[in-house]
């Protein structure tokens, strides 16, 4: 609760708490640094020499680069689980975001050093930094609004525009700097963006007094730690048996995997087994059938998230390489930098975000289906349709030896519309369904599912060297559309299990906001 003397943070801007815009600009610059570096990652690893300035890439094979890209983007989000837990249990989201921003600034700065050790070290710092920042800043956005405040979805949409504003600016500026001056200058520019984001966040602390604070002793005593959950797991023969079988399979699958990173897959499967066990214990500890039913829907929605990002994240991997190697990028005699195509997605988000949000709002006012599950399923379908344009691009490449740029732009446009239907909505959906005392941890699980989707994307991208882009893009189109339709078909029973979590939403202006970080109600 907020003391009566603590009023500055209650001020609003454009109908939303000012704290939203502090988090907005912090995330803008954090995403500037992350997506600026991500736009260069696969291109840098596969480049032998950047001829314009003579700086060398790593010269890796495409399969090797896409494999590391998958591991890296997965770990970035998988670290959200310990990042969310540390904040939830010990230091609060506010301090966790500060630590994450500092680690990210260091990581991007190290990436600017032209040495292989610096490349790996920099990626390591970025992984740790995103793990601390990403789940916790999202939780703080949710904490700015009361439970039934209809502004929550729009608040997340505004926040999502901030994410993509940073991505748009980064893809253009960082990509151009890397093309003209070299890869490591591009990495360095990304680091400067993160430093600016840290400064914005520290400046705006007075508008975030009521959210993200460290747990009190009473809240800690009411909370259930991961250690407690694991101890409960060990004492349950049924649950430990399930986890044990999963771990046996993990060791077997890793041992039989024919590849240099078999140990990585073994570790990944073991982590998935442990997380599964923890999630089962959380379900066992929930109070009442309503909370348990909502938790089941939340877990099922994770599958939608994994499928979506497993398809969507071809953008930074396989489609990024396709733009570099198989797309005619000539524009009036000037070759468009490959990294610039990464700006299409955030550019379209900035262009369409408000429009898509208003379309859904009007559907809801008219009494038509506009629930989160329907939006998410629709997003998967629309994103899948985008791959049909990559099928056309691949067919054109087979006929002419190159494909036009507009195929990529059209694909990115449909991917973006699908993303706008799913991503900000799924974030908000999680804050509505997740048990309050596990909120930060569940947000960590959400981002971990996003990371697992990224790894799936890397695996799919690797398969293109054998299956061919035409088959991969066509398969993604068919699978995504069918999957989205299946979700819509089972949507009614899933909605019943939410027990009206999205009903009776209204605009709430109150001196007290809903504190999600450790609240027990």
């Amino acid at each position: 609760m907020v003391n009566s003397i603590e009023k500055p943070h209650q001020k609003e801007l454009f109908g939303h708490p000012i704290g939203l815009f502090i988090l907005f600009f912090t995330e803008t610059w954090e995403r500037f640094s992350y997506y600026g570096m991500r736009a260069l990652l696969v291109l840098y690893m596969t480049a032998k020499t950047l001829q314009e300035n003579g700086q060398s890439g790593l010269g890796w094979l495409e399969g090797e680069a896409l494999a590391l890209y998958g591991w890296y983007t997965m770990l970035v989000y998988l670290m959200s689980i310990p990042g969310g837990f540390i904040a939830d249990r010990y230091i609060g989201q506010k301090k966790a975001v500060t630590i994450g921003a500092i680690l990210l600034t260091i990581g991007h700065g190290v990436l600017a050093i032209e040495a292989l050790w610096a490349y790996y070290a920099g990626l390591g710092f970025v992984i740790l930094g995103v793990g601390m920042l990403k789940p916790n800043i999202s939780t703080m956005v949710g904490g700015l609004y009361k439970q039934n405040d209809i502004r929550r979805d729009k608040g997340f949409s505004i926040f999502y525009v901030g994410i993509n504003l940073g991505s748009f600016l980064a893809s253009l500026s960082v990509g151009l700097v890397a093309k003209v001056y070299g890869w490591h200058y591009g990495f360095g520019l990304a680091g400067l963006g993160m430093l600016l984001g840290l400064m914005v966040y520290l400046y705006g602390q007075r508008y975030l007094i009521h959210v993200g604070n460290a747990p009190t002793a009473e809240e800690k005593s009411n909370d259930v730690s991961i250690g407690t959950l694991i101890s409960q797991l060990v004492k349950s023969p049924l649950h430990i048996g399930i986890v044990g079988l999963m771990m046996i399979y993990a060791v077997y699958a890793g041992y039989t995997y024919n590849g240099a990173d078999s140990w990585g897959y073994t570790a990944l499967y073991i982590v998935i087994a442990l997380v599964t066990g923890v999630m089962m214990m959380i379900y066992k500890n929930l109070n009442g059938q309503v909370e348990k039913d909502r938790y089941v829907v939340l877990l099922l929605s994770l599958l939608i998230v994994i499928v979506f990002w497993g398809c969507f994240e071809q953008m930074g991997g396989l489609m990024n390489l396709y733009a570099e190697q198989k797309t005619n990028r000539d524009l009036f005699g000037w070759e468009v930098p490959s990294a610039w195509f990464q700006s299409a997605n955030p550019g379209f988000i900035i262009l369409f975000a408000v429009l898509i949000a208003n379309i859904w709002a009007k559907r809801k006012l008219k009494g038509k289906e506009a629930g989160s599950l329907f939006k998410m399923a629709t997003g998967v379908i629309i994103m899948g349709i985008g791959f049909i344009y990559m099928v056309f691009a691949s067919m054109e490449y087979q006929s002419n030896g190159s494909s036009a740029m507009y195929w990529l732009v059209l694909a990115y446009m449909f991917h973006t519309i699908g993303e706008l239907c799913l991503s900000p909505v799924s974030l908000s959906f999680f804050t509505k369904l997740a048990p309050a005392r596990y909120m930060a941890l569940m947000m960590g699980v959400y981002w971990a599912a996003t990371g697992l989707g990224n790894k799936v994307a890397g695996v799919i991208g690797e398969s293109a060297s054998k299956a061919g882009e035409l088959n991969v893009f066509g398969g993604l189109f068919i699978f995504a559309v069918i999957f989205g339709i299946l979700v819509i078909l089972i949507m009614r029973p899933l909605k019943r299990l939410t027990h009206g979590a999205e009903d009776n939403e209204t605009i709430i202006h109150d001196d007290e906001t809903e504190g999600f970080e450790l609240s027990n109600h």
Side-chain angles (χ1 to χ4, degrees):
M1 298 298 178
V2 183
N3 296 328
S4 59
I5 59 173
E6 294 175 347
K7 291 295 182 183
H9 62 274
Q10 303 300 339
K11 294 180 180 178
E12 293 186 353
L13 181 64
F14 305 123
H16 290 270
I18 290 182
L20 174 66
F21 299 95
I22 297 299
L23 300 177
F24 172 98
F25 285 110
T26 302
E27 185 72 345
T28 293
W29 289 111
E30 187 272 329
R31 292 290 91 179
F32 176 93
S33 67
Y34 176 75
Y35 280 105
M37 180 270 292
R38 195 197 73 160
L40 305 181
L41 200 59
V42 173
L43 300 179
Y44 171 65
M45 287 188 285
T46 56
K48 293 183 178 176
T49 302
L50 190 63
Q51 294 180 355
E52 289 86 348
N53 53 34
Q55 291 205 39
S56 298
L58 297 181
W60 291 10
L61 298 175
E62 289 182 20
E64 295 172 335
L66 290 171
L68 181 62
Y69 175 81
W71 283 115
Y72 165 70
T73 52
M74 181 197 72
L75 288 172
V76 157
Y77 293 109
L78 191 62
M79 287 303 296
S80 293
I81 294 180
F85 170 72
I86 290 170
D88 196 22
R89 185 68 180 171
Y90 299 107
I91 62 175
Q93 289 76 37
K94 195 154 32 183
K95 286 185 179 179
V97 170
T98 302
I99 293 171
I102 293 171
L103 289 172
L104 281 164
T105 303
I106 294 171
H108 289 294
V110 172
L111 281 170
I113 301 172
E114 192 172 353
L116 188 59
W117 69 264
Y119 182 68
Y120 288 119
L123 292 182
F125 275 110
V126 172
I127 288 169
L128 294 174
V130 174
M132 290 296 289
L133 185 146
K134 194 65 181 172
N136 296 307
I137 197 169
S138 301
T139 302
M140 290 176 70
V141 172
L144 294 171
Y145 302 93
K146 270 185 169 287
Q147 184 66 41
N148 294 319
D149 193 336
I150 198 172
R151 297 179 301 164
R152 182 195 300 260
D153 277 5
K154 286 191 176 182
F156 272 104
S157 293
I158 292 170
F159 181 68
Y160 209 67
V161 170
I163 292 174
N164 289 280
L165 176 62
S167 177
F168 177 76
L169 296 173
S171 299
L172 293 177
S173 58
V174 174
L176 183 60
V177 167
K179 181 177 177 62
V180 176
Y181 298 104
W183 302 110
H184 297 281
Y185 284 93
F187 291 139
L189 179 59
L192 289 176
M194 187 62 250
L195 179 60
L196 185 56
L198 175 60
M199 294 170 63
V200 169
Y201 182 70
L202 294 176
Y203 167 79
Q205 290 297 292
R206 64 182 180 273
Y207 300 110
L208 301 169
I209 295 172
H210 59 304
V211 291
N213 295 311
T216 63
E218 181 181 357
E219 288 168 332
K220 283 185 179 182
S221 65
N222 292 330
D223 191 27
V224 181
S225 69
I226 290 182
T228 302
L229 292 170
I230 292 177
S231 67
Q232 292 174 354
L233 175 65
V234 173
K235 295 175 183 177
S236 173
L238 174 62
H239 295 105
I240 195 63
I242 294 172
V243 173
L245 289 174
M246 292 179 68
M247 287 191 171
I248 292 171
Y249 172 78
V251 175
Y252 171 77
Y255 178 76
T256 57
Y257 177 77
N258 185 23
D261 50 357
S262 61
W263 61 271
Y265 281 102
T266 301
L268 173 61
Y269 297 149
I270 289 174
V271 169
I272 291 174
L274 288 172
V275 171
T276 301
V278 169
M279 301 303 282
M280 288 190 294
M281 289 300 103
I282 290 176
Y283 177 82
K284 189 176 180 180
N285 288 335
L286 295 179
N287 301 318
Q289 195 59 44
V290 171
E291 202 171 49
K292 289 185 176 183
D293 287 346
R294 289 177 174 177
Y295 185 73
V296 169
V297 178
L298 183 147
L299 294 180
L300 290 174
S301 67
L302 285 176
L303 180 60
I304 304 175
V305 170
I306 292 170
V307 167
F308 181 87
W309 294 112
C311 298
F312 180 91
E313 277 299 326
Q314 301 305 318
M315 185 180 299
L318 185 59
M319 291 172 70
N320 202 6
L321 288 174
Y322 192 93
E324 170 73 17
Q325 300 171 359
K326 298 183 178 181
T327 301
N328 180 2
R329 293 179 282 118
D330 181 74
L331 183 65
F332 305 117
W334 181 68
E335 187 176 57
V336 176
S338 302
W340 275 22
F341 287 94
Q342 299 298 302
S343 68
N345 169 244
F348 282 131
I349 283 180
I350 295 169
L351 188 63
F352 292 133
V354 175
L355 174 63
I356 299 299
N358 286 337
I359 288 173
W360 286 117
K362 287 180 180 178
R363 278 184 62 88
K364 190 168 187 176
L365 290 173
K366 291 179 179 178
K368 297 181 179 180
E369 179 59 59
S372 294
L373 287 170
F374 182 74
K375 293 178 186 177
M376 292 165 69
T378 302
V380 173
I381 293 171
I382 294 173
M383 180 273 300
I385 292 173
F387 281 108
I388 198 66
Y389 296 106
M390 294 309 301
V391 170
F392 296 150
S394 300
M395 294 170 63
E396 184 176 316
Y397 173 78
Q398 289 183 353
S399 301
N400 303 330
S402 66
S403 61
M405 290 186 286
Y406 56 75
W407 295 124
L408 276 168
V409 175
L410 286 169
Y412 286 155
M413 184 178 72
F414 274 81
H415 287 179
T416 299
I417 295 173
E419 182 184 2
L420 285 169
C421 292
L422 180 138
S423 191
V425 171
S426 62
L427 273 172
S428 180
F429 192 50
F430 255 61
T431 65
K432 295 169 186 174
L433 295 184
R437 62 188 179 278
Y438 297 111
M439 181 59 67
L441 176 60
M442 293 309 300
M443 288 304 297
V445 172
Y446 172 87
W447 290 115
T450 302
L452 188 57
N454 277 258
K455 181 54 187 170
V456 171
V459 172
I460 294 172
E462 289 179 66
S463 69
S465 59
K466 295 181 180 179
E469 285 95 344
L470 180 59
N471 292 327
V472 170
F473 293 140
L476 289 171
F477 161 67
I478 295 170
F479 175 78
V481 171
I482 292 176
F483 180 85
I485 292 173
L486 289 175
V487 172
I488 290 175
L489 291 176
I490 64 170
M491 188 179 63
R492 287 186 180 275
L494 291 179
K495 284 189 68 175
R496 285 197 295 269
L497 290 176
T498 67
H499 295 278
E502 296 186 293
D503 296 341
N504 302 318
E505 292 183 324
T506 184
I507 297 176
I508 298 176
H509 298 274
D510 198 300
D511 285 344
E512 295 179 355
T513 56
E514 184 77 13
F516 288 103
E517 56 272 23
L518 287 155
S519 173
N520 288 314
H521 54 274

